[in-house]
Amino acid sequence: DTAVSQTPKYLVTQMGNDKSIKCEQNLGHDTMYWYKQDSKKFLKIMFSYNNKELIINETVPNRFSPKSPDKAHLNLHINSLELGDSAVYFCASSSSGTGDYTFGSGTRLTVV
Amino acid sequence: AQSVTQLGSHVSVSEGALVLLRCNYSSSVPPYLFWYVQYPNQGLQLLLKYTTGATLVKGINGFEAEFKKSETSFHLTKPSAHMSDAAEYFCAVTQTGYQKVTFGIGTKLQVIP
């Protein structure tokens, strides 16, 4: 059983489209995250939810909207995709305050 | 505020040689420190962590790191490199009870046969 699973693994789409990425964890963790990894491998936190409550919301364009229907799921919806959105998006989870993240395998988003 | 600095974006070692990946941190309170490894086309995996207590921490795959408060460092070492160690390594820092982990820019380790 995969601990943190993301779908899809690859996403190729045209500029202006809207797309969603889904994440699910079966570890019983109470906190989930979205990170963006750019082409230089730099990891930047985007959002974090703790028990369905948004607790971290970094400076991210409002075209990005996270949703957490329950503490095991965290989705990311992106409107009006731009070329600069091309990156690998990682979902992660942890028990609050520990810093031990379990990462998903990533979603490689390519905007053409 | 918290940050980490990884010295050397690329490190090359020969198979069997010592691996040393450097990380310095900045934190206004006692930090929690981590090393993560990322293999190609995969997510990050926790190698080891320091929270409190013993300053020399051992992780998976023969890696270890030592927390040195006086030097604000948390360098990662492995006595003998293996080809399978070739990957990207990330140092990271957080604070107790703080949800946000800050990652360094990563160090790509190349192992030469």
Side-chain angles (χ1 to χ4, degrees):
Chain A
D1 251 0
T2 304
V4 179
S5 58
Q6 290 180 234
T7 54
K9 191 169 176 63
Y10 299 97
L11 190 50
V12 181
T13 187
Q14 292 188 326
M15 277 196 322
N17 283 351
D18 303 339
K19 291 293 177 186
S20 292
I21 308 171
K22 297 189 175 187
C23 179
E24 175 181 2
Q25 55 96 3
N26 62 6
L27 298 167
H29 289 161
D30 56 7
T31 309
M32 296 185 73
Y33 308 82
W34 280 113
Y35 274 82
K36 179 181 180 181
Q37 187 174 48
D38 63 23
S39 58
K40 295 184 179 178
K41 301 289 187 180
F42 181 66
L43 272 163
K44 181 173 163 44
I45 191 167
M46 301 173 70
F47 303 103
S48 175
Y49 274 77
N50 178 263
N51 284 321
K52 302 194 300 178
E53 181 185 346
L54 182 64
I55 56 171
I56 295 174
N57 185 355
E58 293 291 290
T59 308
V60 176
N62 58 15
R63 299 181 293 104
F64 290 78
S65 52
K67 278 195 174 58
S68 182
D70 56 60
K71 72 175 189 177
H73 295 84
L74 179 61
N75 304 323
L76 182 66
H77 187 75
I78 315 169
N79 289 326
S80 304
L81 277 154
E82 300 177 357
L83 292 176
D85 297 331
S86 295
V88 181
Y89 293 84
F90 285 102
C91 176
S93 70
S94 73
S95 291
S96 51
T98 65
D100 287 13
Y101 285 7
T102 300
F103 279 84
S105 57
T107 296
R108 184 174 294 276
L109 172 65
T110 304
V111 183
V112 298
Chain B
Q2 57 185 31
S3 65
V4 289
T5 302
Q6 291 184 242
L7 300 174
S9 59
H10 287 82
V11 170
S12 291
V13 299
S14 298
E15 192 174 14
L18 171 72
V19 175
L20 171 60
L21 304 182
R22 298 178 189 274
C23 173
N24 288 90
Y25 71 90
S26 173
S27 176
S28 53
V29 297
Y32 286 3
L33 294 159
F34 308 84
W35 277 99
Y36 283 84
V37 60
Q38 184 179 27
Y39 298 103
N41 299 315
Q42 294 186 27
L44 281 73
Q45 178 185 2
L46 182 66
L47 263 182
L48 49 80
K49 66 176 180 181
Y50 168 80
T51 53
T52 58
T55 56
L56 181 64
V57 291
K58 295 185 187 298
I60 60 172
N61 301 337
F63 284 93
E64 61 183 37
E66 187 170 10
F67 169 64
K68 291 187 177 180
K69 185 179 177 182
S70 60
E71 299 176 9
T72 61
S73 68
F74 192 59
H75 302 331
L76 182 71
T77 60
K78 181 174 180 178
S80 176
H82 192 272
M83 295 299 294
S84 61
D85 295 327
E88 192 93 22
Y89 291 81
F90 293 88
C91 184
V93 63
T94 191
Q95 302 159 12
T96 177
Y98 191 47
Q99 302 291 359
K100 182 177 168 181
V101 172
T102 301
F103 287 85
I105 61 169
T107 297
K108 186 169 184 176
L109 176 65
Q110 181 185 20
V111 182
I112 303 166

